[in-house]
């Protein structure tokens, strides 16, 4: 019999979060094993299989929430992670050509909004200031393990926002359908309904993020999103993590109620006094924890996702540069296709019924406009996030990928006539599982609440343990710090 393999810590899941957690632990001289079920690392940031000369991630076109502390601690800049643009503008596309451009410059933005509504243009600077102020006041809560909630005016505003849906909150500020529909997209991250109270808070969370020192900025790394995975794999390897792919964790091994290791699909057992799981809470506790652990009495920890909604990433290879029907738009932008707030509600209702909506709200970027190295000369990549969608179990329904792709291309055709003829390949990716349920109490709770579990030595480190799921690494950083203290 081979000797049991022992580590100081085991990390389940080799996406961005798992890699960050593993790197933190190994940097502190812990002997770390990371187990990844698939045969490649990166999770949703792993490369899409697009063929020679093209580079895009399977599930995430932009960065807006990568933790500045992680960037600094793990020395990403020294490993070569650079950003292409200062900030991507947000462009709400309209079929009549009156696009709305929301940029970092408040006055330019107000001028763009004024075409649609002079009163909204007047309200914009106040909205922007209030949003960014509350967001900054929330940072300790969202950025630290046990950060405090804000006091005073910010607390009063927060109290209102936490009870208000994104739709209602934006209605209270603005009248322009285009403006509201454009802003609404960010409130639906993680498959949240724009009618849910937590969705207004999602907008605040988004504004609390910071990229390269810029509050609320959206960026693309040089070399594309897969560059982040490459940097992380390099960092984790250099600090001595043992990274194993093609190994699925199937069971947590417990010893007197405390985590003691992990069993894998092939029957191997690995032992460690701490385990960090990048899989969602319900999956970690109900699928990986042994049945007897249920008697510990943490019913609420087993909450399954109630959302039947998800999102998809659609990546296209284009033979030539796409053209916006002669209309000038800033190329370093993320483009939103949703002309009215009702578009989200209609798509949600259809998706809840299990069907693919005719019109799906979506965001797309063309990273090759900013980094031509991501495609062969003259060719381009266009990456779309489409949501809300019903759970997409591609293996169970033939033609589903084709249907989603057809709906997305039809929507793009309205703004970029002839684009369908330029597409040489199209890939549709979706997690195939329900979105993490975001709830107000969980968003307002401290990070420790989302990271700790009722099982001693077991911590959650994935995007499901963030206030809003995104490529952040914040939960991973905090989980690693808890793990290094050895317990709860
Ligand atoms: C369509 C879509 C678009 C998105 N776009 C963006 C975006 O543009 N920007 C952004 O910031 N965020 C975006 N997000 C959110 C973001 O991609 C995720 O929140 C983030 O990538 C999650 O990283 P993670 O490492 O926590 O999880 P994942 O990337 O999901 O990685 C988890 C890993 O764990 C592995 N695993 C699971 N179970 C086991 C097991 N039992 N044993 C071993 N390994 C296991 C999986 O194979 C996977 O590799 C998007 C999400 C989706 C679905």
């Amino acid at each position: 019999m081979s000797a049991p393999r022992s580590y100081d810590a085991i990390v389940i899941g080799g996406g961005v979060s798992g890699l960050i957690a593993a790197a933190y632990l190994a940097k502190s001289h812990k002997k770390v094993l990371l187990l990844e079920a698939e045969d490649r690392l990166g999770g949703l940031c792993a490369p899409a299989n697009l063929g020679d000369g093209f580079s895009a991630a399977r599930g995430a076109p932009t960065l807006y929430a990568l933790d500045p502390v992680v960037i600094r601690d793990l020395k990403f800049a020294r490993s070569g992670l650079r950003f292409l643009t200062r900030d991507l503008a947000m462009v709400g596309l309209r079929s009549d050509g009156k696009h709305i451009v929301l940029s970092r410059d408040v006055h330019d933005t107000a001028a763009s909004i004024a075409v649609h509504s002079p009163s909204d243009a007047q309200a914009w600077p106040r909205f922007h200031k209030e949003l960014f102020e509350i967001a900054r006041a929330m940072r300790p809560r969202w950025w630290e393990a046990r950060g405090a909630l804000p006091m005073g005016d910010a607390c009063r505003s927060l109290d209102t926002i936490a009870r208000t849906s994104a739709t209602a909150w934006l209605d209270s500020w603005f009248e322009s359908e285009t403006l509201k529909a454009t802003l609404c997209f960010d409130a639906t991250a993680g498959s949240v309904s724009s009618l849910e109270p937590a969705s207004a808070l999602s907008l605040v969370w988004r504004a609390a993020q910071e990229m390269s020192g810029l509050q609320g900025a959206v960026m693309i790394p040089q070399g594309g999103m897969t560059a982040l995975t490459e940097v992380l794999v390099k960092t984790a390897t250099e600090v001595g993590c043992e990274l194993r792919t093609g190994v699925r964790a199937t069971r947590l091994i417990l010893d007197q109620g405390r985590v003691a290791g992990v069993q894998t699909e092939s029957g191997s057992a690995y032992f460690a006094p701490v385990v960090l799981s990048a899989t969602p809470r319900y999956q970690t506790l109900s699928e990986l924890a042994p049945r007897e652990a249920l008697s510990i009495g943490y019913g609420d920890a087993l909450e399954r996702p109630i959302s039947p909604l998800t999102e998809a990433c659609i990546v296209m290879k284009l033979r030539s540069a796409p053209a916006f029907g002669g209309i000038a738009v800033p190329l370093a932008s993320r483009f939103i296709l949703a002309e009215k707030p009702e578009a989200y509600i209609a798509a949600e209702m259809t998706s809840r019924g299990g069907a693919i909506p005719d019109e799906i709200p979506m965001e797309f970027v063309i990273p090759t406009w900013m980094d031509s190295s991501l495609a062969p000369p003259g060719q381009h990549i266009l990456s779309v996030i489409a949501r809300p969608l019903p759970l997409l179990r591609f293996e169970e329904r033939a033609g589903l990928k084709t249907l989603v792709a057809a709906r997305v291309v039809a929507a793009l055709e309205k703004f970029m006539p002839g684009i369908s003829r330029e597409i040489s390949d199209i890939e549709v990716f979706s997690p195939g599982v329900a979105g993490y349920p975001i709830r107000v109490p969980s968003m307002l709770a401290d990070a420790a609440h989302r990271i700790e579990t009722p099982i001693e030595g077991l911590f959650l480190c994935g995007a499901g343990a963030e206030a809003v799921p995104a490529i952040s690494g914040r939960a991973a950083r905090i989980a690693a710090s808890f793990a290094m203290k050895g317990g709860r």
Side-chain angles (χ1 to χ4, degrees):
M1 209 175 91
S2 61
R5 281 149 289 187
S6 292
Y7 296 84
D8 294 324
I10 297 172
V11 176
I12 300 173
V16 168
S17 307
L19 286 165
I20 289 174
Y24 263 100
L25 289 162
K27 216 165 75 72
S28 299
H29 311 292
K30 302 288 179 199
K31 191 178 168 200
V32 182
L33 171 69
L34 178 145
L35 303 175
E36 166 53 50
E38 298 210 25
D39 55 10
R40 39 151 191 64
L41 295 162
L44 286 159
C45 287
N49 208 2
L50 296 173
D52 280 353
F54 287 91
S55 172
R58 303 163 81 221
T62 56
L63 287 177
Y64 45 79
L66 191 56
D67 185 13
V69 181
V70 170
I71 294 179
R72 190 195 60 213
D73 286 352
L74 298 184
K75 302 186 172 55
F76 284 175
R78 201 184 289 172
S79 302
L81 192 73
R82 308 258 182 284
F83 296 102
L84 290 169
T85 44
R86 223 174 137 252
D87 185 13
L88 298 184
M90 191 181 199
V91 178
L93 292 174
R94 286 225 336 188
S95 42
D96 63 3
K98 288 187 188 166
H99 308 322
I100 210 161
V101 180
L102 310 177
S103 71
R104 184 154 289 278
D105 187 309
V106 173
H107 301 290
D108 284 355
T109 300
S112 177
I113 295 172
V115 175
H116 298 265
S117 160
S119 72
D120 286 359
Q122 263 190 344
W124 178 259
R126 280 187 289 117
F127 170 78
H128 193 264
K129 185 167 175 284
E130 184 173 317
L131 174 65
F132 271 41
E133 276 175 6
I134 305 165
R136 269 198 304 278
M138 278 298 287
R139 276 183 180 173
R141 190 63 158 186
W142 282 329
W143 288 21
E144 294 159 20
R146 299 183 200 278
L149 280 167
M151 311 285 282
D153 287 350
C155 176
R156 279 185 287 282
S157 306
L158 188 70
D159 193 45
T160 310
I161 292 168
R163 296 162 199 269
T164 313
S165 71
T167 308
W169 193 48
L170 293 172
D171 277 345
S172 74
W173 279 96
F174 305 117
E175 61 181 16
S176 159
E177 302 283 88
T178 309
L179 177 59
K180 288 186 281 186
T182 304
L183 292 169
C184 214
F185 192 83
D186 287 348
T188 60
S191 309
V192 155
S193 163
S194 57
L195 293 174
E196 271 184 48
S199 54
L201 208 48
S202 293
L203 290 174
V204 177
W205 178 87
R206 184 79 184 229
Q209 305 310 309
E210 178 183 303
M211 295 293 306
S212 288
L214 294 180
Q215 187 177 356
V218 179
M219 299 188 179
I220 298 178
Q222 190 169 15
M225 291 296 283
T226 56
L228 177 63
T229 301
E230 283 162 22
V231 163
L232 280 171
V233 172
K234 185 172 160 227
T235 306
T237 310
E238 278 173 4
V239 290
C241 298
E242 187 177 330
L243 309 176
R244 293 206 183 183
T245 55
V247 185
R248 178 173 294 279
T250 47
R251 240 325 149 248
L252 293 170
I253 300 166
L254 300 194
D255 181 14
Q256 298 182 8
R258 201 200 142 93
V259 81
V262 171
Q263 201 172 329
T264 70
E265 204 167 30
S266 67
S268 301
Y270 300 94
F271 295 91
V274 286
V275 172
L276 288 79
S277 171
T279 72
R281 178 172 284 263
Y282 77 92
Q283 203 177 325
T284 303
L285 292 177
S286 65
E287 293 174 15
L288 296 180
R291 280 278 161 254
E292 64 265 26
L294 291 173
S295 63
I296 293 171
Y298 49 89
D300 64 341
L302 296 179
E303 285 175 354
R304 284 186 165 271
I306 45 166
S307 171
L309 305 174
T310 191
E311 53 194 318
C313 188
I314 300 98
V315 184
M316 294 171 206
K317 286 161 56 173
L318 303 177
R319 291 189 193 88
S320 63
F324 282 95
I327 297 152
V329 287
L331 300 184
S333 298
R334 53 194 187 110
F335 301 92
I336 308 296
L337 294 190
E339 292 201 28
K340 293 189 171 161
E342 292 76 46
Y344 296 90
I345 297 159
E348 184 186 328
M349 293 308 146
T350 308
S351 297
R352 282 187 186 277
I356 305 293
D358 287 341
E359 290 185 20
I360 316 166
M362 58 184 88
E363 173 190 63
F364 70 89
V365 290
I366 304 173
T368 37
W369 267 336
M370 293 152 265
D371 183 354
S372 60
S373 74
L374 301 177
Q379 301 189 54
H380 285 268
I381 299 253
L382 189 150
S383 291
V384 180
I385 299 179
R387 64 179 180 235
L389 284 167
L391 286 188
L392 300 168
R393 301 203 202 279
F394 296 126
E395 63 289 355
E396 290 172 11
R397 197 172 138 196
L400 195 53
K401 277 193 182 184
T402 314
L403 180 60
V404 173
R407 296 269 155 90
V408 167
V409 172
L412 292 173
E413 268 288 335
K414 284 191 203 155
F415 302 94
M416 301 169 159
I419 192 170
S420 46
R421 290 192 298 277
E422 299 306 318
I423 299 170
S424 58
D425 196 6
I426 184 161
E427 293 282 345
V428 181
F429 304 99
S430 183
V433 292
Y436 310 106
I438 300 177
R439 299 195 180 88
V440 178
S442 164
M443 282 187 80
L444 291 180
D446 60 23
H449 172 89
R450 290 184 296 272
I451 286 163
E452 291 176 334
T453 73
I455 299 177
E456 210 179 329
L458 174 68
F459 302 95
L460 302 175
C461 67
E466 307 279 353
V468 172
I471 299 162
S472 153
R474 210 165 269 136
R477 163 173 63 82
I478 297 170
S481 75
F482 286 177
M484 279 182 277
K485 288 181 198 136
R488 292 195 289 147

